[in-house]
Amino acid sequence: MSQPNREIEQLVQREYEHGFVTDIESDTVPPGLNEDTIRFISAKKAEPDWLLAWRLEAFRTWQKMRAPNWAHVHHHPIDYQDISYYSAPRSPKDGPQSLEEVDPKLLETYAKLGIPLHEQKLLAGVAVDAVFDSVSVATTFKGKLAEAGVIFCSFSEAVQNHPELVRQYLGSVVPMGDNFYAALNSAVFTDGSFCYIPKHTRCPMELSTYFRINAAKTGQFERTLIVAEEGSHVSYLEGCTAPMRDENQLHAAVVELVALDNATIKYSTVQNWYPGDENGVGGIYNFVTKRGDCRGANSRISWTQVETGSAITWKYPSCILRGENSVGEFYSVAVANNYQQADTGTKMIHIGRNTRSTIVSKGISAGHGQNAYRGLVRIAKSAANARNHTQCDSLLLGDRCGAHTFPYMETKNSSAIVEHEATTSRIGDDQLFYCRQRGIAAEDAVNMIVNGFCKEVFRELPMEFAVEAQKLLGVTLEGAVG
Amino acid sequence: MLEIKNLHVAVDGKEILKGVNLHVRPGEVHAIMGPNGSGKSTLANVLAGRDGYVVTKGEINYLGRDLTTLEPEERAREGVFLAFQYPVEIPGVNNIYLLKAALNAIRKHRGQPELDAVEFLALVRDRMGLVKMPEDFMSRSVNEGFSGGEKKRNEIFQLAVLEPRLAILDETDSGLDIDALRVVADGVNSLRNPERSLVLVTHYQRLLDYIIPDQVHVLSDGRILKSGGKELALELEARGYDWVRAAAA
């Protein structure tokens, strides 16, 4: 390897900022998974019988399934009996009723992560639900949202307070037996966020959920459900971090979005789970099922993701374009540095007439990282005049990493137009030298080039988070050029 | 300004420059001419500090400092500018954005305040006129989709904005038609001043019809074989390089 290449690799080295552990008393169940575990979780949350029955059915389905092996990732088999499925910070009462009752250690944890939970200190216009291990510890701005008729609360609360809505929509986008990890999640999910935007309502602020894994040997299995009624509009963001630990931890989430007539859901993710160290030890296995259903005419679902963390990412936020004229979008930046592996992409399933989808995927590989884009565009027979445009770009830093593209297209209607463009480029020594000769430090030059590469995706993020994402990318690739 | 003494430079273990001496005073324009493979571009690159160009012997003094100890970006901030023979494309990075980052890095180094967007744009508009850059240039990515001539003009435009003390122009004339050559030369001439020195690396004499050098040097096989005034360039044009080599042998 040439000297300059090594410099680029050094530039992408960085330390994980969020790797601390919060020392807090937790109720954690011993590792192991059987029907009793599920009954325990369900009882802990005082769930109605129908939900327990649903979980058990999912568990029985899961037991008959095998882990998928088609992704371009490699890891040791996961021992599902060696994971704890429930861990919650121990609180004196049943749980905090207001922010004042939240354990100061938890507030401190989120403050350290840059997520202050005190409303007066918050970024105006962003409501946060904070999920710590298996439970939601706080949701801000509930009152203000309620005035607009918006429901934004933890999943557990939604089960208690809005069971009819949960029952109507749960599993309606991602069926319990959809895939191995979705089935596991359906059986053991612990918390997550629930949003409901009533008809003709524009959600008055950004909604966000901040996921934190803290306890050792636990998995995080959260479930998010967003329902946007006719003519409504919501923008939602999730962020994720975890401590540095030597063992791998499993995160298997399910996100379901439902957009009815003329509704718009914009879902943004900045995923920064612990990626493991520079030798590939530790890190989160991020096996996530995210799917949006454009159920109504003229509805729109837009996924934007910035995936910088996790040892392994297996994730395909998808859109089912059922309603006429509905629109699906997927904008993604995925980084694989050191020994990280990312296999990510999307599925756009065109069913309705005049449906349109756009896919923009930017993969960045550095170190020994392996980055794969995997995408499916399916045009059903009913989808007259469907349109898809896919753009899939890869950027390589150094010469030991890899970029892979697996596009799948199935078109059953001859009036459809499907386009796919792909490029692979490398941050060249020439580009770096050019910038340095103009007086720009090597690290700044790499940042500038990488950010330029990701520009089309970053501009889809809400403003504050776009800045955050740029910074995060800077940290992620820090040390890549020396 | 620049004093090069007995400079030996190796690339991939092969010696390319074999004892170059050159003295450039403030305000002077020096032309380095020579046949292909004589080491002209190696000289330009080693001055800018490109990786892989190893100084094995000799010294390069720039404003009283040993230039070889500085990183490329430090040299740039100290006022060394290289107009590239083959400017690279950087997709996604806006021309103006790169230039603003560069100018502010240099200004910061000099202890000057950074320019805000308004001041910067005023400066850019002023300097764009010098080399007749097209208007849409501002919204385009660095050198992306530029013609050969536009890339070269962009280099001179950057020179005009960054105002270095020592500018090295590596074959800036190659690939330019006669009109573009005149535009570039006019731009360069307008930037000449008693404090700024220029080193023009060129294969052909025609650039020197427009930018009149104080001295012309013939580089061949890693050594400067002959130096003279601007008339030497004309003689080279008429007689080629062989007679210089024969005379030196």
Side-chain angles (χ1 to χ4, degrees):
Chain A
M1 187 172 56
S2 71
Q3 184 59 31
N5 257 329
R6 190 155 300 138
E7 283 184 36
I8 290 177
E9 293 206 349
Q10 279 166 4
L11 259 194
V12 291
Q13 292 311 318
R14 74 342 186 148
E15 297 220 349
Y16 186 70
E17 278 189 304
H18 309 298
F20 62 91
V21 177
T22 306
D23 184 14
I24 192 162
E25 264 191 277
S26 298
D27 275 328
T28 304
V29 297
L33 178 57
N34 53 43
E35 293 201 1
D36 288 343
T37 321
I38 292 159
R39 287 175 203 283
F40 171 85
I41 293 170
S42 190
K44 195 90 186 161
K45 296 187 170 291
E47 285 176 353
D49 290 342
W50 65 264
L51 189 50
L52 174 61
W54 193 79
R55 286 174 177 277
L56 291 171
E57 193 187 336
F59 179 64
R60 286 162 200 154
T61 308
W62 177 75
Q63 284 180 304
K64 293 183 209 117
M65 299 173 91
R66 279 163 189 260
N69 60 3
W70 41 261
H72 192 77
V73 298
H74 304 279
H75 59 87
H76 293 295
I78 298 168
D79 182 354
Y80 292 92
Q81 297 304 331
D82 196 34
I83 295 172
S84 164
Y85 289 84
Y86 186 84
S87 176
R90 184 174 293 161
S91 49
K93 283 164 272 169
D94 284 327
Q97 300 304 308
S98 71
L99 280 174
E100 286 66 45
E101 293 175 34
V102 174
D103 188 317
K105 267 190 187 158
L106 283 174
L107 294 178
E108 211 177 283
T109 301
Y110 284 92
K112 223 161 152 181
L113 296 168
I115 319 285
L117 294 178
H118 288 296
E119 288 182 7
Q120 64 271 26
K121 290 186 198 155
L122 273 176
L123 290 167
V126 183
V128 180
D129 182 29
V131 176
F132 192 87
D133 289 331
S134 304
V135 292
S136 168
V137 292
T139 308
T140 63
F141 289 115
K142 266 191 201 166
K144 187 161 180 211
L145 289 166
E147 281 170 30
V150 172
I151 302 170
F152 180 45
C153 62
S154 72
F155 205 92
S156 307
E157 274 178 83
V159 169
Q160 300 304 322
N161 301 334
H162 310 282
E164 68 301 336
L165 284 174
V166 174
R167 195 169 186 178
Q168 184 182 349
Y169 290 105
L170 178 70
S172 74
V173 184
V174 179
M176 64 168 69
D178 187 78
N179 67 68
F180 184 80
Y181 300 111
L184 177 64
N185 173 287
S186 301
V188 303
F189 76 87
T190 43
D191 218 330
S193 300
F194 174 80
C195 315
Y196 176 83
I197 320 296
K199 281 184 189 177
H200 308 298
T201 302
R202 198 178 173 93
C203 185
M205 55 179 70
E206 299 273 345
L207 302 182
S208 83
T209 301
Y210 199 88
F211 294 101
R212 173 78 177 169
I213 296 178
N214 187 60
K217 289 217 155 202
T218 56
Q220 192 175 49
F221 305 92
E222 87 274 0
R223 199 148 183 128
T224 299
L225 175 56
I226 300 177
V227 179
E229 284 278 7
E230 276 173 42
S232 68
H233 181 284
V234 63
S235 170
Y236 178 93
L237 183 122
E238 62 171 2
C240 336
T241 59
M244 292 194 250
R245 296 190 187 279
D246 289 344
E247 80 266 23
N248 295 107
Q249 285 181 283
L250 179 62
H251 172 255
V254 171
V255 175
E256 296 179 279
L257 312 182
V258 179
L260 300 177
D261 287 356
N262 303 305
T264 296
I265 301 176
K266 193 169 168 54
Y267 193 104
S268 312
T269 302
V270 175
Q271 184 265 108
N272 187 26
W273 294 118
Y274 177 53
D277 68 12
E278 69 277 12
N279 298 313
V281 176
I284 301 291
Y285 290 168
N286 190 33
F287 300 152
V288 170
T289 305
K290 292 184 167 177
R291 196 172 302 156
D293 191 352
C294 282
R295 220 165 268 185
N298 309 310
S299 57
R300 172 189 286 253
I301 289 179
S302 176
W303 298 99
T304 305
Q305 60 173 20
V306 177
E307 303 279 324
T308 62
S310 297
I312 300 177
T313 295
W314 180 100
K315 180 182 167 187
Y316 315 90
S318 304
C319 297
I320 301 167
L321 302 170
R322 215 183 289 277
E324 277 190 17
N325 309 314
S326 61
V327 176
E329 294 169 319
F330 174 74
Y331 300 97
S332 170
V333 167
V335 182
N337 191 11
N338 293 323
Y339 286 86
Q340 279 176 280
Q341 307 173 59
D343 193 297
T344 185
T346 185
K347 288 187 275 188
M348 292 291 174
I349 312 295
H350 292 255
I351 297 169
R353 299 164 62 87
N354 303 319
T355 47
R356 284 174 289 144
S357 63
T358 302
I359 299 171
V360 177
S361 163
K362 305 277 181 176
I364 301 166
S365 312
H368 292 87
Q370 294 293 327
N371 211 326
Y373 166 79
R374 187 182 303 278
L376 168 68
V377 177
R378 178 181 290 155
I379 313 282
K381 214 169 176 176
S382 53
N385 302 313
R387 298 278 182 276
N388 163 266
H389 181 82
T390 300
Q391 188 194 328
C392 184
D393 300 322
S394 305
L395 184 68
L396 302 170
L397 286 78
D399 54 7
R400 293 178 298 183
C401 51
H404 315 270
T405 306
F406 305 98
Y408 305 84
M409 286 176 216
E410 300 170 16
T411 307
K412 299 224 166 76
N413 187 307
S414 58
S415 64
I417 298 177
V418 178
E419 299 167 321
H420 181 93
E421 280 179 49
T423 66
T424 301
S425 56
R426 189 182 284 280
I427 290 193
D429 307 337
D430 286 355
Q431 290 174 328
L432 210 53
F433 180 63
Y434 190 84
C435 296
R436 295 178 75 190
Q437 210 302 305
R438 295 299 179 252
I440 299 165
E443 284 200 10
D444 295 340
V446 167
N447 269 344
M448 191 184 282
I449 295 169
V450 168
N451 275 311
F453 177 75
C454 301
K455 197 156 61 180
E456 283 165 277
V457 174
F458 285 169
R459 70 172 172 226
E460 295 297 326
L461 288 171
M463 191 56 146
E464 300 86 345
F465 301 117
V467 174
E468 198 56 36
Q470 281 192 18
K471 272 196 271 175
L472 181 59
L473 208 64
V475 173
T476 301
L477 297 174
E478 204 164 90
V481 188
Chain B
M1 174 79 65
L2 178 70
E3 185 149 27
I4 299 174
K5 287 184 193 157
N6 191 30
L7 182 66
H8 291 248
V9 174
V11 179
D12 289 334
K14 186 170 180 262
E15 189 166 60
I16 307 290
L17 296 185
K18 302 167 180 171
V20 170
N21 294 290
L22 184 68
H23 189 193
V24 181
R25 290 177 196 82
E28 288 184 348
V29 175
H30 288 238
I32 311 286
M33 302 187 69
N36 289 332
S38 58
K40 299 190 302 291
S41 282
T42 297
L43 181 61
N45 280 307
V46 81
L47 288 173
R50 194 176 200 125
D51 270 323
Y53 292 78
V54 183
V55 175
T56 53
K57 208 167 156 189
E59 50 189 274
I60 307 173
N61 272 294
Y62 169 71
L63 297 172
R65 296 182 65 174
D66 178 3
L67 195 63
T68 61
T69 60
L70 301 182
E71 293 292 327
E73 58 267 38
E74 293 171 322
R75 299 179 194 206
R77 292 170 196 166
E78 288 288 338
V80 176
F81 180 93
L82 173 63
F84 285 80
Q85 183 178 6
Y86 304 110
V88 291
E89 302 189 0
I90 311 181
V93 177
N94 188 284
N95 273 305
I96 291 297
Y97 185 72
L98 175 105
L99 200 51
K100 185 160 184 270
L103 181 64
N104 281 334
I106 292 168
R107 289 181 64 91
K108 199 172 157 197
H109 179 76
R110 290 186 194 147
Q112 296 169 322
E114 296 190 359
L115 290 188
D116 66 27
V118 176
E119 295 165 321
F120 178 72
L121 273 181
L123 175 71
V124 162
R125 289 204 178 276
D126 178 57
R127 300 300 150 89
M128 276 173 80
L130 273 186
V131 283
K132 302 195 165 61
M133 290 303 289
E135 260 299 307
D136 68 340
F137 154 86
M138 290 214 270
S139 55
R140 286 158 66 178
S141 294
V142 177
N143 291 320
E144 196 180 31
F146 283 28
S147 69
E150 281 177 327
K151 285 182 184 174
K152 295 299 178 75
R153 287 218 301 265
N154 189 23
E155 295 295 292
I156 302 307
F157 165 65
Q158 294 185 1
L159 188 154
V161 172
L162 298 178
E163 303 187 312
R165 291 212 258 194
L166 172 66
I168 304 138
L169 276 57
D170 190 4
E171 308 249 3
T172 297
D173 51 335
S174 67
L176 292 183
D177 63 32
I178 195 72
D179 294 329
L181 181 67
R182 194 182 301 249
V183 168
V184 164
D186 287 349
V188 172
N189 282 326
S190 69
L191 296 167
R192 286 178 73 163
N193 72 34
E195 300 299 315
R196 181 172 296 138
S197 306
L198 298 176
V199 175
L200 310 175
V201 172
T202 180
H203 193 70
Y204 298 106
Q205 187 270 335
R206 62 173 195 166
L207 177 68
L208 308 180
D209 286 342
Y210 299 98
I211 307 173
I212 311 295
D214 296 298
Q215 282 195 53
V216 175
H217 309 276
V218 179
L219 187 67
S220 178
D221 194 25
R223 289 186 191 87
I224 288 180
L225 296 187
K226 193 173 176 60
S227 298
K230 61 184 183 211
E231 64 290 343
L232 177 56
L234 295 170
E235 198 174 355
L236 289 169
E237 181 78 356
R239 298 175 64 186
Y241 291 110
D242 286 344
W243 65 274
V244 184
R245 274 191 283 216

